[in-house]
Amino acid sequence: MTRGLLIVVSGASGTGKGTVCKRILDETPELAYSVSATTREPRAGEVDGREYYFMTRDEFTARIAEGMFLEFAEVYGNFYGTPLNKITERINRGEDILLEIDVQGALNVKRKLPEAVTIFLLPPSLDELKRRIEGRGTETADSLQRRLANAVAEIQIGREYGYVVVNDSVERAVAKIKAIIAAERCRTERNLDKFSLEGAV
Ligand code: ADP
Ligand code: 5GP
């Protein structure tokens, strides 16, 4: 059985990771989403077990000690972590899995699982990034400044990733990420061994 792909989409806050990943998942039913755990409060409409597994800091700390996470990170004051058990199971079953996680988390995944397909989503410019965060209307002035300062540092880490995709339009970014997934599925090592040469003359 060929193992599934672990696809990691990451990038600075406000770039459009959530928007782009939601579209890819809607359009690619065979791609599974890895639901993360978090200590942040649920937002309106979020359901436990669908967007996130919501837990207290104590619960999260206990899960870290149990070795439950493939990676975890503190992102703007809350903890987020990728549960390891489901990922291993699903990849071994041949399923492709999408993770949408922050930059620290993506680097940790790559360290632990170098075969992960890492995609850095880049905003068209810092000005546009600022407009997107402002337009989302979720941040205070302070928090906006913090995110922009972090974005500069995070974008420099972009070169550690396997791929960079500019999120200029959602359609184009989605098409490029789908193309990357299709190309990764065609990698030689994933396919040639499955081809039977039995009966060849
Ligand atoms: P992230 O998950 O990276 O923090 P979001 O998906 O929440 O980012 O997107 C931030 C804001 O930018 C949202 O208001 C979203 O609608 C908008 N956005 C996302 N992608 C684009 C795009 N290609 N062009 C214009 N606006 C976008
Ligand atoms: P939000 O609170 O807006 O849903 O997410 C905040 C940030 O946390 C986003 O950058 C998102 O990608 C990141 N994030 C979500 N889940 C995980 C995770 O499991 N691990 C890490 N490292 N980051 C995550």
Side-chain angles (χ1 to χ4, degrees):
M1 162 77 75
T2 312
R3 275 157 59 88
L5 295 170
L6 184 61
I7 301 142
V8 181
V9 174
S10 182
S13 171
T15 303
K17 301 182 295 293
T19 308
V20 167
C21 285
K22 185 172 182 320
R23 181 79 70 89
I24 293 169
L25 288 163
D26 286 348
E27 294 178 8
T28 321
E30 70 277 16
L31 188 60
Y33 179 64
S34 162
V35 178
S36 297
T38 183
T39 60
R40 87 147 158 72
E41 290 295 318
R43 294 182 187 135
E46 286 185 337
V47 175
D48 187 42
R50 189 179 68 187
E51 277 79 14
Y52 284 106
Y53 297 106
F54 295 100
M55 50 182 75
T56 62
R57 274 188 174 241
D58 283 350
E59 281 173 309
F60 198 97
T61 311
R63 299 287 155 79
I64 296 174
E66 288 163 12
M68 177 186 162
F69 297 119
L70 168 61
E71 62 75 34
F72 65 90
E74 190 174 356
V75 187
Y76 300 112
N78 292 302
F79 281 100
Y80 294 83
T82 306
L84 181 59
N85 59 345
K86 300 217 169 110
I87 291 198
T88 324
E89 262 170 47
R90 288 162 131 183
I91 287 191
N92 286 342
R93 276 205 304 262
E95 283 180 37
D96 297 336
I97 302 187
L98 181 78
L99 304 186
E100 189 243 288
I101 60 176
D102 91 309
V103 171
Q104 312 164 66
L107 292 185
N108 283 330
V109 170
K110 204 182 146 204
R111 250 171 241 134
K112 285 194 179 167
L113 301 172
E115 72 274 23
V117 178
T118 51
I119 304 174
F120 190 80
L121 201 61
L122 193 64
S125 67
L126 281 178
D127 281 347
E128 173 60 15
L129 180 65
K130 183 164 180 264
R131 273 193 291 278
R132 286 185 191 173
I133 302 177
E134 281 171 342
R136 193 169 59 180
T138 48
E139 310 309 321
T140 59
D142 255 15
S143 152
L144 170 69
Q145 280 318 317
R146 200 148 64 103
R147 275 159 210 261
L148 286 174
N150 268 351
V152 173
E154 288 175 341
I155 288 168
Q156 289 169 33
I157 301 175
R159 61 184 69 252
E160 306 279 328
Y161 287 64
Y163 296 93
V164 172
V165 169
V166 177
N167 180 20
D168 46 5
S169 93
V170 175
E171 286 68 26
R172 270 197 294 270
V174 166
K176 284 178 187 167
I177 293 175
K178 283 181 167 179
I180 291 168
I181 296 172
E184 287 287 335
R185 285 188 184 133
C186 293
R187 275 197 180 274
T188 311
E189 63 272 20
R190 299 178 59 79
N191 294 282
L192 261 194
D193 292 347
K194 287 190 296 192
F195 190 84
S196 169
L197 290 174
E198 239 169 76
V201 280

